[in-house]
């Protein structure tokens, strides 16, 4: 999907529809990262993955919240790689819990990390390195249960540190405020590991609030150059019910309502049918 020069070098990201971007870039069995921290969470892209009925995905996210609850409950996920999971400010993710405890709708494998471990894994992937090294995981049981966490001895000091394997998603999906027509992406406000997650991925899809002719500088901005992005889709409101600084506010009522919607399988399936799959459901 990339635009190439005559020598085969990538020049810019391609502008696509959301449906076409997901159809081309997200494949059954892929490792998929949908990143965003409180803000700029790519809900619309997650819903499109559900609509296109992708299956057997390894879902990666530092803080899987409601969009991952929806993807898990819709049967898209086989495995979850994460460092924290919950409905922020509300409580548990009931579809996540049901998949782990009861294998509904399908069994869900788990690989748990610390926030620092996940962030360092993305950095290693973005840097083209096989692993990252940090001080962490000490005193936890995670290294005994996770093959991607290993103790390592510093060759200079002899100190015992922790190595974590690089994360290289097949595709990373993020939301941002703006992109220009060459596919250069601009985001600002609370950002997490979106930049690292995109640079670590083999393919990437960025949904944006608007396409502009020029990117005016914004304090604290993060720029993803078009040559580092596979495709950009114009999706206004693509982060709802999370928020996009300068464009929308967080829908706190929805997060509270999700607890009741997702608690039972029947109410969850009805909501997905009505609001994601656009299926008429009898009242």
């Amino acid at each position: 999907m990339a635009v190439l020069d005559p020598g085969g070098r990538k020049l810019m990201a391609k502008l696509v529809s959301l449906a076409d971007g997901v159809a081309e870039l997200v494949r059954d069995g892929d490792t998929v990262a949908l990143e965003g921290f409180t803000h700029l969470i790519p809900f619309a892209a997650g819903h499109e993955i559900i609509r296109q009925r992708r299956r057997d995905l390894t879902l990666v996210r530092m803080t899987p919240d409601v969009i991952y609850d929806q993807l898990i409950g819709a049967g898209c996920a086989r495995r979850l790689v994460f460092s924290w999971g919950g409905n922020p400010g509300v409580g548990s993710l009931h579809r996540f819990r049901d998949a782990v405890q009861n294998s509904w709708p399908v069994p869900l494998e788990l690989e748990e990390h610390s926030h620092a471990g996940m962030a360092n894994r993305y950095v290693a992937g973005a840097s083209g390195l096989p692993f990252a090294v940090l001080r962490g995981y000490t005193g936890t049981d995670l290294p005994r249960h996770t093959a991607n966490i290993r103790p390592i001895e510093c060759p200079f000091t002899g100190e015992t540190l922790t190595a974590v394997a690089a994360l290289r998603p097949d595709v990373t999906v993020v939301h941002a405020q703006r992109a220009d027509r060459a596919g250069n992406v601009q985001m600002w406000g609370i950002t997490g590991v979106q930049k690292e997650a995109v640079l670590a991925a083999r393919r990437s899809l960025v949904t944006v609030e608007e396409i502009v002719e020029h990117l005016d500088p914004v304090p604290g901005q993060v720029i993803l150059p078009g040559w580092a992005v596979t495709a950009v889709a114009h999706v206004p409101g693509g982060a709802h019910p999370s928020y996009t600084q300068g464009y929308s506010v967080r829908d706190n009522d929805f997060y509270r309502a999700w607890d009741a919607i997702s608690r039972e399988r029947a109410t969850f399936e009805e909501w997905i049918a009505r609001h994601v799959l656009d299926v008429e459901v009898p009242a």
Side-chain angles (χ1 to χ4, degrees), residues 190-207:
I190 297 176
T191 54
V193 292
Q194 291 100 313
K195 176 184 71 175
E196 293 81 0
V198 167
L199 295 177
R202 294 172 176 84
R203 304 181 297 275
S204 57
L205 173 63
V206 183
T207 58

PDB file of all heavy atoms in Angstrom, residues 190-207:
ATOM      1  N   ILE A 190      -1.717  13.795  25.630  1.00  0.00           N
ATOM      2  CA  ILE A 190      -1.194  12.609  26.306  1.00  0.00           C
ATOM      3  C   ILE A 190      -0.891  11.557  25.253  1.00  0.00           C
ATOM      4  O   ILE A 190      -1.786  11.081  24.561  1.00  0.00           O
ATOM      5  CB  ILE A 190      -2.201  12.055  27.328  1.00  0.00           C
ATOM      6  CG1 ILE A 190      -2.453  13.067  28.443  1.00  0.00           C
ATOM      7  CG2 ILE A 190      -1.682  10.747  27.925  1.00  0.00           C
ATOM      8  CD1 ILE A 190      -3.517  12.620  29.433  1.00  0.00           C
ATOM      9  N   THR A 191       0.368  11.234  25.112  1.00  0.00           N
ATOM     10  CA  THR A 191       0.751  10.155  24.212  1.00  0.00           C
ATOM     11  C   THR A 191       1.467   9.088  25.019  1.00  0.00           C
ATOM     12  O   THR A 191       2.101   9.366  26.035  1.00  0.00           O
ATOM     13  CB  THR A 191       1.660  10.651  23.069  1.00  0.00           C
ATOM     14  OG1 THR A 191       2.781  11.339  23.630  1.00  0.00           O
ATOM     15  CG2 THR A 191       0.898  11.597  22.148  1.00  0.00           C
ATOM     16  N   GLY A 192       1.345   7.865  24.564  1.00  0.00           N
ATOM     17  CA  GLY A 192       1.982   6.754  25.244  1.00  0.00           C
ATOM     18  C   GLY A 192       3.129   6.221  24.411  1.00  0.00           C
ATOM     19  O   GLY A 192       4.129   6.897  24.210  1.00  0.00           O
ATOM     20  N   VAL A 193       2.953   5.017  23.876  1.00  0.00           N
ATOM     21  CA  VAL A 193       4.015   4.374  23.094  1.00  0.00           C
ATOM     22  C   VAL A 193       3.629   4.279  21.618  1.00  0.00           C
ATOM     23  O   VAL A 193       4.140   3.430  20.894  1.00  0.00           O
ATOM     24  CB  VAL A 193       4.338   2.973  23.651  1.00  0.00           C
ATOM     25  CG1 VAL A 193       4.979   3.067  25.021  1.00  0.00           C
ATOM     26  CG2 VAL A 193       3.091   2.095  23.675  1.00  0.00           C
ATOM     27  N   GLN A 194       2.737   5.179  21.161  1.00  0.00           N
ATOM     28  CA  GLN A 194       2.297   5.079  19.772  1.00  0.00           C
ATOM     29  C   GLN A 194       3.452   5.150  18.788  1.00  0.00           C
ATOM     30  O   GLN A 194       3.516   4.367  17.835  1.00  0.00           O
ATOM     31  CB  GLN A 194       1.280   6.191  19.446  1.00  0.00           C
ATOM     32  CG  GLN A 194      -0.062   6.036  20.135  1.00  0.00           C
ATOM     33  CD  GLN A 194      -0.173   6.924  21.345  1.00  0.00           C
ATOM     34  OE1 GLN A 194       0.744   6.983  22.168  1.00  0.00           O
ATOM     35  NE2 GLN A 194      -1.295   7.633  21.469  1.00  0.00           N
ATOM     36  N   LYS A 195       4.359   6.100  18.988  1.00  0.00           N
ATOM     37  CA  LYS A 195       5.479   6.244  18.056  1.00  0.00           C
ATOM     38  C   LYS A 195       6.291   4.961  17.999  1.00  0.00           C
ATOM     39  O   LYS A 195       6.585   4.441  16.912  1.00  0.00           O
ATOM     40  CB  LYS A 195       6.374   7.408  18.494  1.00  0.00           C
ATOM     41  CG  LYS A 195       7.628   7.588  17.637  1.00  0.00           C
ATOM     42  CD  LYS A 195       8.524   8.688  18.164  1.00  0.00           C
ATOM     43  CE  LYS A 195       9.200   8.272  19.456  1.00  0.00           C
ATOM     44  NZ  LYS A 195      10.177   9.282  19.934  1.00  0.00           N
ATOM     45  N   GLU A 196       6.662   4.437  19.162  1.00  0.00           N
ATOM     46  CA  GLU A 196       7.473   3.226  19.204  1.00  0.00           C
ATOM     47  C   GLU A 196       6.727   2.035  18.622  1.00  0.00           C
ATOM     48  O   GLU A 196       7.314   1.199  17.924  1.00  0.00           O
ATOM     49  CB  GLU A 196       7.900   2.936  20.646  1.00  0.00           C
ATOM     50  CG  GLU A 196       8.858   3.955  21.227  1.00  0.00           C
ATOM     51  CD  GLU A 196       8.206   5.216  21.755  1.00  0.00           C
ATOM     52  OE1 GLU A 196       6.949   5.322  21.672  1.00  0.00           O
ATOM     53  OE2 GLU A 196       8.919   6.108  22.242  1.00  0.00           O
ATOM     54  N   ALA A 197       5.429   1.950  18.915  1.00  0.00           N
ATOM     55  CA  ALA A 197       4.641   0.823  18.416  1.00  0.00           C
ATOM     56  C   ALA A 197       4.528   0.846  16.892  1.00  0.00           C
ATOM     57  O   ALA A 197       4.568  -0.201  16.236  1.00  0.00           O
ATOM     58  CB  ALA A 197       3.253   0.822  19.050  1.00  0.00           C
ATOM     59  N   VAL A 198       4.383   2.041  16.317  1.00  0.00           N
ATOM     60  CA  VAL A 198       4.337   2.150  14.856  1.00  0.00           C
ATOM     61  C   VAL A 198       5.685   1.793  14.241  1.00  0.00           C
ATOM     62  O   VAL A 198       5.768   1.026  13.267  1.00  0.00           O
ATOM     63  CB  VAL A 198       3.896   3.572  14.433  1.00  0.00           C
ATOM     64  CG1 VAL A 198       4.148   3.801  12.947  1.00  0.00           C
ATOM     65  CG2 VAL A 198       2.418   3.782  14.751  1.00  0.00           C
ATOM     66  N   LEU A 199       6.764   2.329  14.806  1.00  0.00           N
ATOM     67  CA  LEU A 199       8.087   2.076  14.242  1.00  0.00           C
ATOM     68  C   LEU A 199       8.511   0.619  14.412  1.00  0.00           C
ATOM     69  O   LEU A 199       9.323   0.114  13.629  1.00  0.00           O
ATOM     70  CB  LEU A 199       9.116   2.997  14.887  1.00  0.00           C
ATOM     71  CG  LEU A 199       8.941   4.499  14.607  1.00  0.00           C
ATOM     72  CD1 LEU A 199       9.979   5.303  15.370  1.00  0.00           C
ATOM     73  CD2 LEU A 199       9.006   4.806  13.122  1.00  0.00           C
ATOM     74  N   ALA A 200       7.963  -0.067  15.411  1.00  0.00           N
ATOM     75  CA  ALA A 200       8.301  -1.473  15.633  1.00  0.00           C
ATOM     76  C   ALA A 200       7.551  -2.410  14.701  1.00  0.00           C
ATOM     77  O   ALA A 200       7.961  -3.558  14.520  1.00  0.00           O
ATOM     78  CB  ALA A 200       8.006  -1.860  17.085  1.00  0.00           C
ATOM     79  N   ALA A 201       6.456  -1.934  14.108  1.00  0.00           N
ATOM     80  CA  ALA A 201       5.559  -2.818  13.359  1.00  0.00           C
ATOM     81  C   ALA A 201       6.000  -3.001  11.907  1.00  0.00           C
ATOM     82  O   ALA A 201       6.636  -2.136  11.312  1.00  0.00           O
ATOM     83  CB  ALA A 201       4.141  -2.253  13.389  1.00  0.00           C
ATOM     84  N   ARG A 202       5.607  -4.127  11.362  1.00  0.00           N
ATOM     85  CA  ARG A 202       5.851  -4.395   9.941  1.00  0.00           C
ATOM     86  C   ARG A 202       4.912  -3.571   9.063  1.00  0.00           C
ATOM     87  O   ARG A 202       5.267  -3.176   7.951  1.00  0.00           O
ATOM     88  CB  ARG A 202       5.686  -5.892   9.667  1.00  0.00           C
ATOM     89  CG  ARG A 202       6.738  -6.741  10.368  1.00  0.00           C
ATOM     90  CD  ARG A 202       6.446  -8.239  10.242  1.00  0.00           C
ATOM     91  NE  ARG A 202       7.524  -9.018  10.832  1.00  0.00           N
ATOM     92  CZ  ARG A 202       7.630  -9.306  12.133  1.00  0.00           C
ATOM     93  NH1 ARG A 202       6.694  -8.875  12.978  1.00  0.00           N
ATOM     94  NH2 ARG A 202       8.636 -10.015  12.593  1.00  0.00           N
ATOM     95  N   ARG A 203       3.701  -3.331   9.555  1.00  0.00           N
ATOM     96  CA  ARG A 203       2.718  -2.520   8.834  1.00  0.00           C
ATOM     97  C   ARG A 203       2.024  -1.622   9.860  1.00  0.00           C
ATOM     98  O   ARG A 203       1.972  -1.959  11.038  1.00  0.00           O
ATOM     99  CB  ARG A 203       1.666  -3.413   8.147  1.00  0.00           C
ATOM    100  CG  ARG A 203       2.236  -4.452   7.217  1.00  0.00           C
ATOM    101  CD  ARG A 203       1.136  -5.293   6.550  1.00  0.00           C
ATOM    102  NE  ARG A 203       0.332  -6.078   7.476  1.00  0.00           N
ATOM    103  CZ  ARG A 203       0.672  -7.284   7.930  1.00  0.00           C
ATOM    104  NH1 ARG A 203       1.835  -7.822   7.598  1.00  0.00           N
ATOM    105  NH2 ARG A 203      -0.139  -7.950   8.756  1.00  0.00           N
ATOM    106  N   SER A 204       1.469  -0.512   9.399  1.00  0.00           N
ATOM    107  CA  SER A 204       0.782   0.378  10.342  1.00  0.00           C
ATOM    108  C   SER A 204      -0.371   1.093   9.658  1.00  0.00           C
ATOM    109  O   SER A 204      -0.320   1.417   8.462  1.00  0.00           O
ATOM    110  CB  SER A 204       1.750   1.397  10.939  1.00  0.00           C
ATOM    111  OG  SER A 204       2.393   2.152   9.921  1.00  0.00           O
ATOM    112  N   LEU A 205      -1.412   1.339  10.457  1.00  0.00           N
ATOM    113  CA  LEU A 205      -2.585   2.081  10.020  1.00  0.00           C
ATOM    114  C   LEU A 205      -2.852   3.162  11.052  1.00  0.00           C
ATOM    115  O   LEU A 205      -2.961   2.876  12.245  1.00  0.00           O
ATOM    116  CB  LEU A 205      -3.800   1.147   9.919  1.00  0.00           C
ATOM    117  CG  LEU A 205      -5.155   1.803   9.633  1.00  0.00           C
ATOM    118  CD1 LEU A 205      -5.157   2.492   8.270  1.00  0.00           C
ATOM    119  CD2 LEU A 205      -6.275   0.766   9.728  1.00  0.00           C
ATOM    120  N   VAL A 206      -2.920   4.413  10.598  1.00  0.00           N
ATOM    121  CA  VAL A 206      -3.204   5.541  11.481  1.00  0.00           C
ATOM    122  C   VAL A 206      -4.521   6.162  11.068  1.00  0.00           C
ATOM    123  O   VAL A 206      -4.685   6.570   9.904  1.00  0.00           O
ATOM    124  CB  VAL A 206      -2.084   6.593  11.423  1.00  0.00           C
ATOM    125  CG1 VAL A 206      -2.384   7.728  12.411  1.00  0.00           C
ATOM    126  CG2 VAL A 206      -0.726   5.969  11.747  1.00  0.00           C
ATOM    127  N   THR A 207      -5.479   6.223  11.996  1.00  0.00           N
ATOM    128  CA  THR A 207      -6.720   6.942  11.741  1.00  0.00           C
ATOM    129  C   THR A 207      -6.559   8.361  12.287  1.00  0.00           C
ATOM    130  O   THR A 207      -5.917   8.572  13.325  1.00  0.00           O
ATOM    131  CB  THR A 207      -7.921   6.251  12.404  1.00  0.00           C
ATOM    132  OG1 THR A 207      -7.711   6.151  13.823  1.00  0.00           O
ATOM    133  CG2 THR A 207      -8.110   4.845  11.841  1.00  0.00           C
TER     134      THR A 207
END
